[in-house]
Amino acid sequence: MAQSTFNIRLNEAPITREGAMQAFAALRTEAKANGVSDMSTDDINQEIDLARKEAKA
């Protein structure tokens, strides 16, 4: 069940509650757009295991 990856940018701006909430909302929107917003814990763990195996290859 490989899905699109999330792109996360790191910047040097101070982290604020408002900024964190905006980032979280953006991630939720992207997850919904990619059809992964309702993944179960088992699905998430499978994706993590797959990513780790691919990283080792």
Side-chain angles (χ1 to χ4, degrees), residues 38-49:
D38 60 348
M39 290 177 70
S40 70
T41 303
D42 288 338
D43 290 338
I44 293 167
N45 287 332
Q46 287 175 356
E47 289 295 319
I48 292 168
D49 289 342

Side-chain angles (χ1 to χ4, degrees), residues 1 3 6 27-44 47:
M1 171 191 253
Q3 298 289 331
F6 288 102
L27 287 171
R28 288 185 68 172
T29 299
E30 190 171 343
K32 189 172 184 178
N34 287 313
V36 295
S37 62
D38 60 348
M39 290 177 70
S40 70
T41 303
D42 288 338
D43 290 338
I44 293 167
E47 289 295 319

Side-chain angles (χ1 to χ4, degrees), residues 5-11 23-24 26-27 30:
T5 58
F6 288 102
N7 293 318
I8 300 173
R9 287 182 239 143
L10 176 64
N11 61 33
F24 183 71
L27 287 171
E30 190 171 343

